[in-house]
């Protein structure tokens, strides 16, 4: 059941009307499915569309520690301590960073006295922060608190049981953390919010259509995706997660509605019954694979936003040189104290962005410049009418690797073989990456399709 084109554009914001005029979704092929195409000239640097997610969720390790200003002592798991220091607390709805840029820099560098120039460029407004009156989860504004309550939080709010380890949702989250360690690539709470959204919605059928719009995989492909996320013991772990997921969110009565009943109440119950298929072993695996394949990493950081604002300042050459040198040194200090700077705080499902296919030479890119979950898709070059709009599922470094390495990453994480112009042009190249990688594979004795678990992107 595909979502209508109206639904595909309905989560665009700001330039929603522009998106409907500038692009269209077309069927490409049975292998690629649908794609996004320009219907008029889109110029380099132009924002093609801005989109909010159907659902989004902060990664659970981030949410657990609420990292504002937390100092973590050395532990036997030293790398874990570094990972914890890199994470920051975000709004539970839009994932906006809640600590100021200077606080972020102080925590990441380990220097409590670190001062940033141009503090007025930080847009974090702590005076606007709000807490759920029942479970105390934090939001960046009253608007986000109300939006979460309206969409899903009424179902998911644990109330005074927020810290009760025996609460069904807390048991589910703890089980997820026990099988999915930082750096995280997905969250079980994204799935929970999907279910809660359908439960709370007045038009439940619309939400089911929207979630059904995301690509479907075969049973074998779904197992590959789940295996990638959970590791070698994924079958046992998956069943444990399904059981806890069911305990937390399943409604027994809704699965027993008679098909012969009529009327609005029975109709809504039947729609919920369809969503209850997600609790069966096959349905839960499909839901898991949907999130694993389509979940888009969301990068939010008050420090990153401050840096971008600094880049936009009009300064004298000497002042610009000094500010750039300060920022370069700041990033070096962060890397020395806590490792490479990361700002991926959670993941979300974006209906129009999911229509963008991959290319190793993309003509568009995604970003989160507003320090929240609003995704911007921007043209990297002029895009002519009729031309497909493609983003890359690989990061910059991965795109520079050989065709063989790129295909290996894409096949393992997204289950497709890329046929973009770059890959076709390199089709005659040897199926090897470099002498160094050849030696590494020989030493480790791994087959060609061995896992590259540290190279997962966007899932």
């Amino acid at each position: 059941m595909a979502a209508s084109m109206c639904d595909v554009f309905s989560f665009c914001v700001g330039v929603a009307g522009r998106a409907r005029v500038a692009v269209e979704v077309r069927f490409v092929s049975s292998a690629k499915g649908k794609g996004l195409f320009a219907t008029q000239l889109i110029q380099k640097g132009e924002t093609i569309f801005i989109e909010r997610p159907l659902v989004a969720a902060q990664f659970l390790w981030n949410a657990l520690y609420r990292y504002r200003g937390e100092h973590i002592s050395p532990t036997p798991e030293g790398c874990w301590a570094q990972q914890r220091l890199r994470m920051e607390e975000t709004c539970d709805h839009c994932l906006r960073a809640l600590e100021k840029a200077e606080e972020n820099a102080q925590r990441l560098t380990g220097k409590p006295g670190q001062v940033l120039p141009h503090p007025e460029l930080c847009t974090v407004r702590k005076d606007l922060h709000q807490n759920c009156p029942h479970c105390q989860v934090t939001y960046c504004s009253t608007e986000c608190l109300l939006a979460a309550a309206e969409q899903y939080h009424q179902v998911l709010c644990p109330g005074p049981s927020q810290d009760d380890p025996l609460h069904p949702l807390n048991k589910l989250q703890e089980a997820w953390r026990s099988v999915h360690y930082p750096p995280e690539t997905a969250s079980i709470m994204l799935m929970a919010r999907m279910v809660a959204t359908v439960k709370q919605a007045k038009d439940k059928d619309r939400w089911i259509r929207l979630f059904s719009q995301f690509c479907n995989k075969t049973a074998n492909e779904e197992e590959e995706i789940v295996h990638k996320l959970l590791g070698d013991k994924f079958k046992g772990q998956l069943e444990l997660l399904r059981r806890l997921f069911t305990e937390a969110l399943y409604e027994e009565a809704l699965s027993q509605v008679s098909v012969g009943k009529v009327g609005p109440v029975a109709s809504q119950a039947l729609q919920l019954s369809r969503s209850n298929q997600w609790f069966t072993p096959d349905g839960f695996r499909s839901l898991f694979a949907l999130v694993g394949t389509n979940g888009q990493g969301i990068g939010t950081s008050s420090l990153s936003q401050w840096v971008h604002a600094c880049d936009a300042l009009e300064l004298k050459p000497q002042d610009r040189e000094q500010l750039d040198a300060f920022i370069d040194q700041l990033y070096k200090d962060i890397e020395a104290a806590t490792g490479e700077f990361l700002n991926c705080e959670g993941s979300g499902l974006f209906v129009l962005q999911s229509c963008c296919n991959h290319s190793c030479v993309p003509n568009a890119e995604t970003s989160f410049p507003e320090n929240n979950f609003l995704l911007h898709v921007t043209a990297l070059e002029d895009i002519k009418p009729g031309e497909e709009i493609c983003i890359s599922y690989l990061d910059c470094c991965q795109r520079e690797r050989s065709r063989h390495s790129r295909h290996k990453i894409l096949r393992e994480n997204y289950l497709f073989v890329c046929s973009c112009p770059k890959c076709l042009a390199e089709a005659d190249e040897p199926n090897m990456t470099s002498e160094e990688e050849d030696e590494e594979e020989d030493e480790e004795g791994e087959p060609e399709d061995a896992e590259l678990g540290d190279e997962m992107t966007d899932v």
Side-chain angles (χ1 to χ4, degrees), residues 8-9 11-12 25 34-36 49-54 213-214 293-297 348-358 365-368 375-377 389-393 414 458:
V8 168
F9 288 99
F11 284 78
C12 290
V25 179
K34 57 186 176 295
L36 192 66
F49 63 88
I50 302 172
E51 184 178 20
R52 62 184 173 90
L54 276 70
Q213 122 89 18
F214 294 95
T293 305
N294 295 281
Q296 165 70 46
L349 296 176
F350 297 85
V351 64
L352 187 58
Q353 179 263 350
S354 73
C355 298
C356 296
N357 285 312
H358 163 83
E365 67 177 355
T366 61
S367 62
F368 298 88
L375 176 143
H376 289 229
V377 176
I389 298 169
C390 293
I391 58 176
S392 180
Y393 301 169
Y414 300 98
D458 292 342

Side-chain angles (χ1 to χ4, degrees), residues 201-202 204-205 208 253-276:
K202 293 180 179 178
K204 303 180 190 304
D205 197 50
I208 293 174
L254 295 173
S255 66
Q256 299 175 352
V257 177
S258 169
V259 177
K261 290 183 179 179
V262 294
V265 175
S267 176
Q268 284 210 350
L270 283 170
Q271 291 163 1
L272 264 176
S273 182
R274 283 215 301 269
S275 69
N276 273 350

Side-chain angles (χ1 to χ4, degrees), residues 309-353:
C310 286
D311 291 341
L313 287 174
E314 294 184 5
L315 301 172
K316 295 177 181 179
Q318 182 178 357
D319 293 338
R320 167 55 61 191
E321 184 177 346
Q322 289 179 348
L323 182 58
D324 288 347
F326 174 86
I327 292 172
D328 288 343
Q329 185 60 50
L330 180 65
Y331 278 119
K332 289 178 182 177
D333 291 344
I334 289 173
E335 185 167 2
T338 58
E340 184 181 359
F341 180 75
L342 301 173
N343 68 346
C344 192
E345 296 296 334
S347 62
L349 296 176
F350 297 85
V351 64
L352 187 58
Q353 179 263 350

Side-chain angles (χ1 to χ4, degrees), residues 371-389:
N371 190 29
N372 62 11
F373 62 18
L374 291 180
L375 176 143
H376 289 229
V377 176
T378 307
L380 293 173
E381 59 188 48
D382 289 350
I383 303 174
K384 299 175 182 178
E387 188 176 348
E388 185 173 7
I389 298 169

